[in-house]
Amino acid sequence: MVECEFPECTTFGAVIRFSLELEKGAAGVYEELAAKPELASAAEMFNILSAAHKKRGTLLENTRREKLNEMILEPIQEIAREDYIIDTRVPAGLDVKGAAKFVADIEGTSARFYADSAKIAKMLLAEAARIMDRLSKESLANKAKLETL
């Protein structure tokens, strides 16, 4: 299980930190599921999605470093941390369908978080908004793929 520390989303910088934890948690869950022998038939998809979440984390890090310096401390009040925390404790005994449902829920939460963050980012910086919109759409696409397992 991956340990995540989800900060309160009181500044835009905290939203980015929350995003990084969300990506780390999702990647870790996918890695854990891919390593389970009983889920071997879905391991390839889980590995692909884990790599995608790691790549998204890198994108967020680069965006924070290169483009968001001036808005990191912007106060926000519209995002309640509790609405977006994901569970990274993979339940024991999942079959492929159960594992897909578990991570589809993570993708759904991720999509909601990024869609809501994009709305706030639009007020602050167009580049951040585009990235949050893109990550929301990717999470919804991932969720749709998982729902076919």
Side-chain angles (χ1 to χ4, degrees):
M1 177 183 83
V2 154
E3 293 287 329
C4 295
E5 294 181 29
F6 295 100
E8 292 292 336
C9 295
T10 56
T11 65
F12 198 74
V15 169
I16 298 298
R17 285 194 312 278
F18 191 101
S19 300
L20 290 167
E21 289 296 307
L22 190 60
E23 295 305 325
K24 178 178 88 173
V29 168
Y30 282 120
E31 281 180 359
E32 188 174 336
L33 292 173
K36 292 185 178 285
E38 65 272 22
L39 303 176
S41 64
E44 182 179 359
M45 180 181 284
F46 293 151
N47 281 322
I48 289 168
L49 292 172
S50 177
H53 279 278
K54 288 177 184 175
K55 186 176 177 182
R56 289 161 51 135
T58 301
L59 171 66
L60 287 163
E61 274 291 345
N62 291 341
T63 301
R64 176 173 68 172
R65 190 173 36 255
E66 296 168 11
K67 299 184 171 126
L68 302 180
N69 288 337
E70 69 277 1
M71 61 186 280
I72 292 295
L73 298 177
E74 278 295 318
I76 59 169
Q77 299 171 354
E78 295 86 352
I79 294 186
R81 164 187 179 270
E82 295 75 26
D83 294 342
Y84 308 102
I85 293 175
I86 59 170
D87 185 0
T88 59
R89 295 167 300 178
V90 175
L94 290 177
D95 61 3
V96 170
K97 205 86 157 140
K101 165 88 174 86
F102 181 75
V103 288
D105 289 344
I106 289 174
E107 294 291 354
T109 300
S110 178
R112 278 188 305 104
F113 175 76
Y114 288 121
D116 294 346
S117 296
K119 292 174 194 165
I120 293 164
K122 282 178 186 168
M123 295 182 286
L124 300 173
L125 183 68
E127 176 74 13
R130 281 192 296 276
I131 289 169
M132 298 292 185
D133 276 336
R134 185 175 114 208
L135 296 179
S136 174
K137 289 174 185 166
E138 286 177 8
S139 288
L140 288 174
N142 291 344
K143 184 177 182 213
K145 287 178 197 171
L146 292 161
E147 288 170 346
T148 65
L149 290 180

